[in-house]
Amino acid sequence: MIHHLKGQLIEKNPTYLVIACNGVGYMVNISLHTFSLIPDSENISIYTHLHVKEDSHTLYGFYQKSERDIFRLLISVSGVGTSTARTMLSSLEPNQVKDAIANGDVPTIQSVKGIGAKTAQRVILDLKDKILKVYGEDEVFVPQDNTIKEEALSALETLGFARKQATRVVDKIMKDSTSPTVESIIKMALKNL
């Protein structure tokens, strides 16, 4: 119904924005990801999703169209509401959510507060094909070799690093390097942790 808003930024908070458009102030709920991308300039443009329920009309805003697309996919899953989807996009970047779903990475999705194992599995089961169809194999990061990743993570855990933090760093290293080895991943991870 409301595709986007373009207007003057009146108020900016980590959870919502107020945008004035032609004399009307719109309160728009946002994720932390969007909050981090929105400039402090007066005039902004933001993509929106209007969520209509029996007792409320709630507007959600996204700085990037791709984040809104992922949000809409997430809320299409039974048991995932708008607040859970917003929490996912606040805890993980949209690309991390997309990659976790495409790779069937239950622990990453389950790492989001309020998401249990069953919900994480349902999200992956319901959205894996849609994510691959919408974004294609090129835009989704599929790890070259999970055993290399697991060996590197195991070594980093032994060295005392938290698995969640180490996983984020190792995923980025594997995405950026062409032919990673366990040793090279660990060395680069130690520099970034």
Side-chain angles (χ1 to χ4, degrees), residues 119-187:
T119 304
Q121 289 167 349
R122 192 178 313 119
V123 166
I124 289 168
L125 187 69
D126 287 3
L127 298 182
K128 189 171 187 171
D129 291 341
K130 290 179 185 175
I131 289 279
L132 291 171
K133 186 189 270 183
V134 172
Y135 294 100
E137 298 288 341
D138 303 342
E139 292 182 51
V140 176
F141 170 64
V142 180
Q144 300 92 340
D145 189 353
N146 263 347
T147 55
I148 291 174
K149 177 182 172 181
E150 284 306 314
E151 284 179 41
L153 285 172
S154 176
L156 290 167
E157 272 186 296
T158 306
L159 292 170
F161 293 100
R163 185 168 183 95
K164 186 177 172 184
Q165 186 183 11
T167 301
R168 236 182 259 136
V169 172
V170 168
D171 283 344
K172 186 177 183 336
I173 291 166
M174 289 185 73
K175 196 173 190 174
D176 294 342
S177 58
T178 50
S179 55
T181 64
V182 175
E183 295 80 19
S184 67
I185 291 171
I186 294 169
K187 282 179 186 175

Side-chain angles (χ1 to χ4, degrees), residues 69-89 92 94 96-132:
D69 295 342
I70 291 170
F71 177 83
R72 286 177 170 167
L73 285 172
L74 289 171
I75 63 172
S76 73
V77 176
S78 173
V80 176
T82 52
S83 61
T84 303
R86 183 167 76 158
T87 302
M88 283 180 81
L89 291 168
L92 303 167
Q96 289 176 307
V97 174
K98 184 174 67 176
D99 293 344
I101 291 169
N103 297 317
D105 188 353
V106 175
T108 298
I109 292 174
Q110 202 178 335
S111 70
V112 176
K113 187 178 187 281
I115 293 189
K118 284 186 180 178
T119 304
Q121 289 167 349
R122 192 178 313 119
V123 166
I124 289 168
L125 187 69
D126 287 3
L127 298 182
K128 189 171 187 171
D129 291 341
K130 290 179 185 175
I131 289 279
L132 291 171

Side-chain angles (χ1 to χ4, degrees), residues 11-54:
E11 197 175 330
K12 179 182 172 186
N13 291 296
T15 55
Y16 72 92
L17 303 171
V18 176
I19 302 172
C21 301
N22 295 324
V24 179
Y26 292 93
M27 184 178 155
V28 183
N29 293 288
I30 58 169
S31 68
L32 285 175
H33 178 72
T34 290
F35 176 76
S36 68
L37 295 175
I38 288 185
D40 290 326
S41 62
E42 272 193 30
N43 294 317
I44 66 163
S45 181
I46 193 158
Y47 296 100
T48 59
H49 172 82
L50 179 64
H51 189 71
V52 179
K53 288 194 324 196
E54 196 175 291

